[in-house]
Amino acid sequence: MQSLVLSNTLSKKKEVFKPLDKNNIRMYVCGPTVYDFPHIGNARPLIVFDVLFRVLKKIFGGDSVTYVRNITDIDDKIIKSSNEKNIEFKKLTEEITKSFHEDCKFLGCLKPTFEPKATDHIDQMIEIIDTLLNKKYAYEQKGHVFFDISKFPSYGSLSKKTIKDLNAGSRVEISKIKKNPGDFVLWKPSKYNEPSWDSKYGKGRPGWHIECSAMSKKYLNTSFDIHGGGLDLVFPHHENEIAQSFCANEKFLAKYWIHNGYVTVNKKKMAKSENNFITINDLKKKYNGQTIRLAMLFTHYTQPFDWNEKILKDAKITLDKWYEFYIDDNIKINENNLTFLLDDLNIPNMITNIHKLYNYAKEGDLESAKQLNASCKFLGLFSQNKETWFKFNKKTSIKPEEINSLINERNNARKNKNFKKSDEIRDYLLKNNILLEDEANETKWKFKE
RNA sequence: GGCCACGUGGCGGAAUGGUUACGCAGAGGAUUGCAAAUCCUUUUAUCCCAGUUCAAUUCUGGGCGUGGCCUCCA
């Protein structure tokens, strides 16, 4: 099999994936901060890295891949949101986590190997902070512990920034208690009514980035293969993770840094703060998870994905076609049909290939139909059987018996050349989402949408 | 202000130093009472200007445009 190639943010190039240990492939992907319901921008990394997880398992064997996706269940936004809703922060994070899990399932994502929570790893975070303090990479100031970025010369290597550039036009008010404006907090004091943990630096809570360094270390060791997430995490989150992990462990954190492009709306980044987001919850009411999944896979993961309804319609039409050849059997994908994914997860090319398989299948080629199924299943599609798929979300007020009797009535009218009546019946059914197809010997019906 | 990414037909979207994918939509035809479905055929594109080259959409430089980051963000 040809080797897997991935776009590495670190080198800004496509690189051949060479595992640190081919019997133990390790991938860490930044999961959600559970303060609000996930939107489709959040869905993209779930889907992208789910496909990568499947590819790695296929290449190296299912038991040789460890995929960690954390849940950040303590941070300022969580505290703010729980205060606003006047509920305990644990209650909020549990509710959002539950919803998040439903969304993952809805989108056809496999469960990661581990899904650690930040609040279960406070001790591990404190351990790293201690190390950084001892090594003088961090300093204490009024109950805070800050990472001193001036002590880490290669700070900014991932995001191609320099400390000098960062200071040039900062839009954030410069904190007086930091040595450098770019220093970031490892530990901060909590107010009396905020969640807090005891530490030698005082009662407080961890800063934003330290949880990922702690959890990746615990589950994947100090160095691992792939670290992934959305493009907006490159700076400062991943940059800071690199700094603190490297300085604490004196080993590189991850070899391949993989980032998915933004989901945009009218070319503008989808974000909570822009108020241009659509939650997965909202979408559930209207679309099947596979439709959303395929729509997102139409675009290469490094490119921006501009959200619009036309793409969902295209995805639905495509799946309707492909599902005609659904086979209820577990068929293994062959190498030819998988190679597209090895080239930096070129799913658009894989989809083109599935269209070709579809055309051969239509000509009666069973092997193509089988590989169409295998390809779709590999991408996490075809998670329902054919019958359930075509019934999904179909609404009509007419009972099947009535449909059949109307069809009979119409066909009688057609025999008597009473086309006015037959067209009336057809229009009536169409208004109720029933589309008729007259074949040689019988009239078939299906849902229009 | 600094840094970065992107610009392909009506829409979505790959790829490539030469032969210009693919899907949706559109057009014409077959078929049909008319449709639908199906089948066949088919139109339309590489932001602009230079340079390198036998040849550039692809490489280089400049311009224009759009977007992103500069400690909320997937």
Side-chain angles (χ1 to χ4, degrees):
Chain A
M1 199 188 294
Q2 84 187 57
S3 23
L4 173 65
V5 170
L6 294 169
S7 289
N8 192 348
T9 309
L10 216 47
S11 63
K12 300 179 85 172
K13 282 184 184 142
K14 282 194 197 180
E15 291 178 23
V16 174
F17 177 73
K18 289 179 188 151
L20 300 169
D21 173 359
K22 66 179 168 51
N23 298 312
N24 183 17
I25 312 294
R26 287 156 289 160
M27 172 163 80
Y28 186 95
V29 175
C30 288
T33 300
V34 281
Y35 72 105
D36 204 353
F37 295 102
H39 59 70
I40 47 175
N42 305 112
R44 198 169 184 201
L46 295 177
I47 295 167
V48 166
F49 291 100
D50 180 66
V51 174
L52 180 55
F53 183 37
R54 290 166 193 257
V55 171
L56 292 170
K57 280 171 31 136
K58 177 76 183 175
I59 299 172
F60 298 100
D63 298 334
S64 302
V65 184
T66 307
Y67 172 24
V68 179
R69 188 184 59 212
N70 68 289
I71 287 184
T72 297
D73 58 350
I74 177 66
D75 100 313
D76 289 358
K77 292 193 296 299
I78 292 169
I79 292 169
K80 187 165 175 264
S81 179
S82 64
N83 283 342
E84 280 166 7
K85 289 176 180 154
N86 201 23
I87 51 172
E88 216 237 322
F89 90 101
K90 269 281 176 204
K91 205 175 163 208
L92 174 72
T93 58
E94 275 164 16
E95 184 197 347
I96 304 291
T97 302
K98 186 168 168 265
S99 176
F100 170 74
H101 284 150
E102 283 164 10
D103 290 346
C104 290
K105 199 177 164 202
F106 174 70
L107 294 168
C109 298
L110 302 173
K111 284 186 179 167
T113 323
F114 297 106
E115 198 176 49
K117 288 181 195 157
T119 53
D120 292 338
H121 298 81
I122 304 288
D123 290 347
Q124 285 85 350
M125 297 185 215
I126 289 175
E127 204 176 295
I128 296 175
I129 297 170
D130 278 347
T131 308
L132 291 170
L133 277 169
N134 288 337
K135 292 185 173 178
K136 310 283 187 219
Y137 287 114
Y139 57 95
E140 277 188 76
Q141 197 82 279
K142 294 186 177 171
H144 297 72
V145 181
F146 292 105
F147 184 90
D148 185 346
I149 59 168
S150 69
K151 298 277 174 67
F152 184 54
S154 58
Y155 188 79
S157 58
L158 183 72
S159 55
K160 319 298 172 209
K161 293 177 192 299
T162 62
I163 294 173
K164 189 170 146 277
D165 293 339
L166 289 180
N167 297 344
S170 176
R171 67 182 164 88
V172 168
E173 201 183 333
I174 293 169
S175 165
K176 290 201 173 75
I177 56 172
K178 291 180 186 176
K179 285 187 187 170
N180 309 295
D183 291 350
F184 57 92
V185 71
L186 299 167
W187 189 266
K188 65 202 284 185
S190 296
K191 290 178 189 146
Y192 74 96
N193 60 344
E194 291 176 347
S196 66
W197 287 262
D198 286 322
S199 80
K200 61 189 80 160
Y201 339 109
K203 249 176 138 47
R205 61 177 187 274
W208 172 27
H209 320 288
I210 193 71
E211 84 278 17
C212 288
S213 284
M215 291 186 275
S216 63
K217 187 178 179 181
K218 176 171 173 186
Y219 294 95
L220 300 174
N221 212 338
T222 47
S223 297
F224 48 93
D225 298 288
I226 295 172
H227 193 128
L231 190 63
D232 47 359
L233 293 182
V234 173
F235 190 90
H237 185 54
H238 289 164
E239 202 70 77
N240 293 352
E241 270 186 65
I242 287 173
Q244 67 203 5
S245 284
F246 183 83
C247 293
N249 305 324
E250 290 174 17
K251 281 187 182 138
F252 72 90
L253 183 59
K255 197 171 169 190
Y256 302 93
W257 289 81
I258 314 294
H259 293 97
N260 63 272
Y262 293 127
V263 173
T264 58
V265 179
N266 297 324
K267 308 288 176 193
K268 293 251 190 198
K269 180 183 167 188
M270 181 179 289
K272 292 266 162 72
S273 51
E274 293 283 331
N275 207 30
N276 62 352
F277 61 92
I278 303 159
T279 64
I280 303 167
N281 249 334
D282 288 339
L283 232 42
K284 262 183 199 164
K285 293 164 196 156
K286 226 172 145 187
Y287 295 97
N288 187 295
Q290 291 170 81
T291 305
I292 299 165
R293 188 176 170 102
L294 179 62
M296 286 221 165
L297 295 178
F298 278 155
T299 304
H300 191 262
Y301 77 93
T302 54
Q303 296 297 117
F305 174 81
D306 200 50
W307 181 260
N308 62 70
E309 296 262 334
K310 163 93 162 55
I311 290 177
L312 282 179
K313 275 184 192 156
D314 281 1
K316 159 88 169 48
I317 289 167
T318 305
L319 280 167
D320 277 342
K321 282 166 62 179
W322 291 351
Y323 255 109
E324 288 294 336
F325 292 99
Y326 179 89
I327 299 168
D328 203 0
D329 197 4
N330 249 339
I331 302 148
K332 284 221 163 69
I333 189 164
N334 67 31
E335 219 178 296
N336 279 345
N337 296 306
L338 188 71
T339 46
F340 308 96
L341 294 180
L342 300 178
D343 178 20
D344 200 21
L345 305 182
N346 197 330
I347 299 165
N349 272 351
M350 175 127 170
I351 289 170
T352 295
N353 183 59
I354 299 174
H355 283 303
K356 283 181 189 160
L357 292 171
Y358 167 82
N359 285 326
Y360 292 133
K362 254 196 322 196
E363 287 164 14
D365 184 54
L366 181 62
E367 196 47 42
S368 293
K370 283 181 175 173
Q371 282 302 309
L372 181 152
N373 275 264
S375 299
C376 285
K377 281 192 179 140
F378 195 91
L379 290 175
L381 304 167
F382 275 23
S383 51
Q384 294 168 306
N385 63 29
K386 187 171 172 177
E387 204 186 10
T388 331
W389 169 259
F390 283 108
K391 271 185 187 160
F392 178 83
N393 224 5
K394 301 300 191 306
K395 286 192 184 118
T396 180
S397 47
I398 308 180
K399 289 185 183 120
E401 308 88 71
E402 197 189 341
I403 296 170
N404 287 330
S405 99
L406 283 168
I407 287 174
N408 280 336
E409 202 181 321
R410 175 171 168 273
N411 281 338
N412 284 332
R414 289 172 71 212
K415 266 180 208 159
N416 300 322
K417 308 238 184 253
N418 186 352
F419 297 122
K420 186 168 177 281
K421 187 177 181 189
S422 69
D423 288 352
E424 274 169 15
I425 294 171
R426 187 170 64 196
D427 290 346
Y428 169 75
L429 287 168
L430 192 63
K431 271 182 194 153
N432 288 281
N433 200 27
I434 305 295
L435 188 73
L436 297 187
E437 289 176 11
D438 293 327
E439 293 189 1
N441 300 315
E442 62 171 330
T443 298
K444 286 187 174 170
W445 67 269
K446 67 181 187 184
F447 293 107
K448 189 181 152 210
E449 45 181 55

